[in-house]
Structure formats: structure tokens, C-alpha cells
Amino acid sequence: MSKSKQNIKEVTRYIKKEVERELWARAAGRCQFNGCNRILYKSPVTQERVNISEKAHIYSFSEDGPRGWGPFKKTPQSLNDVGNLMLMCHDCHKTIDQDKDGSKYSGSLLQQWKKEHEHRVVTVTGIAANRKSHVVFYGSNIGEQRSPLQQEDAMEAMFPERYPVSENSVCLSMSCSHEDKTAAFWESELTHLNRVFDQKVLPLIESDQTKHFSLFSLANIPLLIQLGALFTDKISVDTYQPIREPKGWHWQEFPEGFEFIIRKPEKVDGAPVLVISLSDIINHERINTVMGEQVSVWELTVPEEHIGNDNIRNSAQLSMMRSIIRKLMVLIKDEHGATTPLSVFPAMAVSCSIEMGRVRMPKADMPWIIYDQNNKEKKFIKAITIGDSQ
């Protein structure tokens, strides 16, 4: 009898129970076909408990089947080992096996899919319980198709460091009940933000076991500063930044040469002003138009090549932002006193706005009068005040 025929006789379709159990564990009971991920222990229609899985061979049980025996030609008895099996639904199993010559669904491709699926299972199940986080959205049109504030995008950006407490995020939608950037708009939105924060976030801070928050926001800078001030730096918060290139919320590499720069005024006998030129350069003449000439302008900026609307790309930059704001507040307060209002003219990323608010110390810092560029009036106008400016 030929050696080939001996090998064929040694091959059996029987898969040991311990191999089957390991396959189920590695796949977490889901189809391992890339992009399917169907749950295989219940009916997708009635939700009844039923095993709808199939054990698919990467390299075929039959030597002349799809993908053949591949590397198992000399050891066909190993074809039923867990390393050569994928857990699949019937549809996906049928799909890979109708590719008779294995040109589309090759053995190497299926091995890669199996590896990626099992790595994802290990990663997800390895996340400790303290990695849970409340997902908080703040902005307008949350969840609508045109909005970048989407639950799926948030989950993807958080993973694998954090994962949501539940599938229901905390939505702090803007009211948008008045014309944009009028005095009535700022008053209405500030009142609304404070109210929904007290209703939706404060109870979680006070009573929920999970004290961590993941914050995704797209709103006006003054309101974002206020949101940060409501959270404070006493609460564990991961603030995310919408990045334009590549588009999404995923953090990128730290930009080489990035640093924050403090520019002090020549004289400190005028009303204190803080200009934040991060996403754009704010010409001091624009400040004088609003405040007059008797001002002492402090400025926070970055190297010229890093000024732009996509310059915050790494979470380490936010840590730097918190540190530099704390330092700035001490410097300005030492020169102008703790009760003197500080007028703030900001041009910065949403994440920086939130982090600036988070480091504010209500009992120690000066009152902040936050200005915002009003394109209709073509100048900065007072938006909100944080702290007692009386």
C-alpha cells in the first residue's frame, strides 16, 4: 500500500471534544470569518439557545478539497488540531469552501483572520474591571448621521485602554434655542449645560462605582471650558480630540518639536488678558479693539509651525496643557491679584479647552471672562464668566 493511501486512512473527521471546547473558547462563541462575528450559540431570529456553529478546516479535510492539505501533507492526522480549525456560521463556511482552488480564501488568509479574531478575544477579555468608563458626548446633533459624535467611533477610540460601562452613552446635547453666539445664546447654553450636567453626570460621580469618564465633544470653546470646570481635575477623565488627518478620534504620534510657550507682558499695570494662540494667531490689535489700550497681555502659544486646527494629536499634549495652565494661573495671579478678573481670548482645540477648564481652582483662581469670536459682528464678544467677577 502506498504511503499516500496510508495517510488518507489515518485521517478522520472526528474532532476531539477538548479540541472543540478550545476552539469555542478561542472564538468566544462567534464566527471567525473576518467581518461576520455572528454569535453562534443562539438563533439570530428567535434568540433561542441553539448551536449554529460549524467547524471549518483552514486546510481541507480532503486532500483535493479547497486549499488542499497545504503544510499538513506529511502530517494529515493534524488537520483536526485547533490550529487548523475556525469556528464559523454555516453561511461563512459555505463561502470559503465554494472557493475550490483557494485563490480567494487562501489558507494563509484564513490563518490571519483566525489569529486576529483570537487576539481580539484575548485583548477584550483581558481588560480589567477598572477599565470601565462612562462615555459622555457634548455637542449638537449627537448620534445623527452627519454628526461625528457616534457611539461606535467612541468605543473604537477608547479600545483597548477603556471600554464603555454600557451601550448607553451620556448625551449632554446643546439646546440651540437661540441664534448662535448672541448674548441670549450664551446664557441659554450655559444654563442648559449646568442643568444637564447636574442631572446626568453628577449622579454618576456621586453614586456609581465607575468613576471614570471618556469625553467626546464638539462645541463652542467657552462652553467647553465650562464643561471642563464642571468635571474638575479631581474626576478621572480621558478627553478625546477630533483629528482631521487621519479623520477620527484615535490618538496619533506625538508631533516632533511641539511645546507650549508663555509670553509675558512688558508691563503688568493694565487689566490682565490671556491670549491663547494655539489653533490660530490672535493679533493683539483685536484685543485692543475690545479692551482698549490699558491691558497687560499674557500669551500662551506654540512654535509657529505647530499653530493650526489639527495640532493636538497625542494625549501627552493635554497633560502638558494642564501643567502650563496651572503655571500660567499662578504667574498671572501673583502679578494681578486673586480677585482681579482675567479676560481670556482663546483659539484652541476642543480638547485643550476642556483641559483648561478642568484645572481651574474655583477657590484660588481669578474669575475668568471668556470671549469668543463673533463673525457676524467681526470681533470678540463676551461669552461667559466663570467665577465671581464682582
Side-chain angles (χ1 to χ4, degrees):
M1 185 179 292
S2 69
K3 187 175 181 181
S4 175
K5 289 183 178 180
Q6 285 180 336
N7 283 338
I8 292 174
K9 283 188 175 182
E10 291 173 2
V11 178
T12 171
R13 288 187 179 275
Y14 176 71
I15 296 174
K16 296 177 181 178
K17 289 295 182 183
E18 56 266 31
V19 172
E20 186 173 349
R21 285 194 293 268
E22 183 178 349
L23 178 63
W24 265 85
R26 288 187 177 207
R30 290 180 177 271
C31 178
Q32 292 184 296
F33 187 97
N34 189 29
C36 180
N37 208 39
R38 180 184 294 178
I39 292 176
L40 301 176
Y41 52 81
K42 64 179 180 179
S43 166
V45 179
T46 67
Q47 304 303 309
E48 293 174 277
R49 291 185 180 180
V50 58
N51 184 354
I52 59 172
S53 72
E54 295 185 4
K55 297 174 283 293
H57 286 83
I58 294 176
Y59 290 99
S60 301
F61 170 80
S62 173
E63 188 173 13
D64 58 356
R67 297 170 299 282
W69 281 357
F72 296 96
K73 287 183 178 180
K74 294 184 178 180
T75 56
Q77 65 274 11
S78 299
L79 285 165
N80 290 337
D81 289 353
V82 71
N84 190 49
L85 296 173
M86 296 178 72
L87 198 68
M88 286 191 180
C89 64
H90 172 77
D91 294 348
C92 292
H93 191 182
K94 185 74 172 177
T95 298
I96 67 169
D97 279 358
Q98 71 179 4
D99 177 29
K100 296 300 183 182
D101 61 358
S103 59
K104 184 174 183 180
Y105 300 106
S106 65
S108 59
L109 177 64
L110 296 180
Q111 285 177 326
Q112 180 64 27
W113 285 359
K114 174 182 172 70
K115 180 180 178 181
E116 290 174 354
H117 182 101
E118 292 176 1
H119 175 72
R120 188 167 68 250
V121 169
V122 170
T123 302
V124 171
T125 55
I127 297 175
N130 61 2
R131 294 294 183 93
K132 290 182 179 180
S133 179
H134 294 286
V135 178
V136 178
F137 291 124
Y138 177 54
S140 58
N141 306 315
I142 295 173
E144 294 184 11
Q145 188 172 3
R146 67 180 184 274
S147 172
L149 298 174
Q150 302 286 344
Q151 177 81 3
E152 295 79 8
D153 295 339
M155 292 172 62
E156 188 176 338
M158 294 163 62
F159 185 84
E161 284 75 20
R162 296 281 177 182
Y163 66 103
V165 170
S166 74
E167 61 184 15
N168 298 316
S169 56
V170 180
C171 295
L172 309 179
S173 298
M174 297 175 66
S175 67
C176 301
S177 57
H178 294 274
E179 184 181 350
D180 191 17
K181 297 189 176 182
T182 61
F185 167 84
W186 292 115
E187 182 179 357
S188 173
E189 290 298 339
L190 182 61
T191 301
H192 178 73
L193 173 58
N194 291 336
R195 182 173 64 251
V196 294
F197 186 91
D198 287 347
Q199 291 173 347
K200 297 184 177 184
V201 178
L202 201 57
L204 298 176
I205 294 174
E206 293 177 343
S207 61
D208 197 89
Q209 286 187 336
T210 300
K211 303 295 184 183
H212 187 277
F213 295 83
S214 295
L215 189 51
F216 298 81
S217 305
L218 277 176
N220 308 85
I221 291 176
L223 296 171
L224 293 172
I225 296 174
Q226 171 65 10
L227 178 60
L230 290 172
F231 270 106
T232 77
D233 60 357
K234 295 179 181 178
I235 305 300
S236 295
V237 176
D238 286 342
T239 302
Y240 288 83
Q241 170 67 32
I243 295 174
R244 296 180 179 229
E245 291 293 339
K247 190 175 182 62
W249 297 87
H250 281 284
W251 290 119
Q252 305 296 315
E253 293 293 325
F254 187 93
E256 185 178 353
F258 182 91
E259 62 176 338
F260 287 105
I261 301 169
I262 294 176
R263 292 177 180 158
K264 300 179 181 180
E266 294 181 3
K267 297 181 180 180
V268 292
D269 54 353
V273 170
L274 174 58
V275 171
I276 304 178
S277 297
L278 302 182
S279 58
D280 194 11
I281 298 174
I282 299 178
N283 192 301
H284 290 195
E285 291 181 1
R286 296 167 63 189
I287 309 303
N288 298 139
T289 299
V290 177
M291 300 286 297
E293 299 292 334
Q294 299 302 312
V295 291
S296 297
V297 179
W298 299 73
E299 186 169 17
L300 177 64
T301 188
V302 292
E304 186 175 353
E305 64 271 20
H306 288 288
I307 292 178
N309 55 19
D310 205 24
N311 60 353
I312 301 300
R313 306 180 62 80
N314 188 278
S315 60
Q317 292 172 278
L318 299 185
S319 178
M320 294 168 62
M321 177 71 178
R322 292 192 296 271
S323 296
I324 203 72
I325 289 294
R326 291 187 184 103
K327 179 179 179 180
L328 251 177
M329 290 305 107
V330 171
L331 291 173
I332 298 173
K333 183 172 64 175
D334 286 348
E335 293 290 352
H336 299 276
T339 60
T340 305
L342 173 65
S343 297
V344 181
F345 292 78
M348 57 181 165
V350 297
S351 56
C352 287
S353 305
I354 293 168
E355 294 306 296
M356 178 177 177
R358 288 187 63 216
V359 300
R360 175 176 169 77
M361 301 176 65
K363 295 181 179 180
D365 284 341
M366 314 159 73
W368 293 354
I369 302 174
I370 315 295
Y371 285 75
D372 190 72
Q373 174 66 21
N374 187 305
N375 292 329
K376 187 175 181 179
E377 297 191 23
K378 297 181 180 180
K379 65 176 183 179
F380 280 101
I381 63 168
K382 286 184 182 180
I384 67 172
T385 299
I386 303 177
D388 187 2
S389 62
Q390 301 299 321

